Amino acid sequence: MSPSALTPQIQHLERDLQGQLLIRCQHGHPMRLTDLGEKVLAAARPYADQLGPGDGQERKDEDREARSATGE
């Protein structure tokens, strides 16, 4: 998914959850999850298999990349 398509989805989630999920990139610092973002990610993990087609490995790879991008 492109950043231009993902950004409004994240903003919508943040509005619905009434809190910030990500600390955006600034001056060479990587994007990372807020405490709320960590909680949402942990709560969503058990449901990942129900989200759509795929063998799950793709999502695991994306999850690993997201954690790497956020410094986990």
Side-chain angles (χ1 to χ4, degrees):
M1 184 178 275
S2 71
S4 61
L6 188 57
T7 298
Q9 296 296 322
I10 293 170
Q11 290 171 337
H12 184 82
L13 278 172
E14 288 177 332
R15 261 192 318 274
D16 286 352
L17 297 170
Q18 298 178 353
Q20 188 175 351
L21 297 174
L22 298 168
I23 298 171
R24 272 56 174 194
C25 301
Q26 297 180 35
H27 302 58
H29 297 279
M31 183 173 16
R32 59 190 175 94
L33 293 170
T34 63
D35 288 341
L36 177 61
E38 290 281 355
K39 290 176 185 175
V40 169
L41 181 60
R45 277 194 177 119
Y47 303 99
D49 291 335
Q50 299 173 19
L51 293 178
D55 63 3
Q57 185 61 44
E58 208 172 84
R59 281 189 291 280
K60 289 177 189 172
D61 292 343
E62 289 171 358
D63 224 15
R64 189 176 307 112
E65 289 171 11
R67 285 193 306 276
S68 174
T70 61
E72 285 185 49

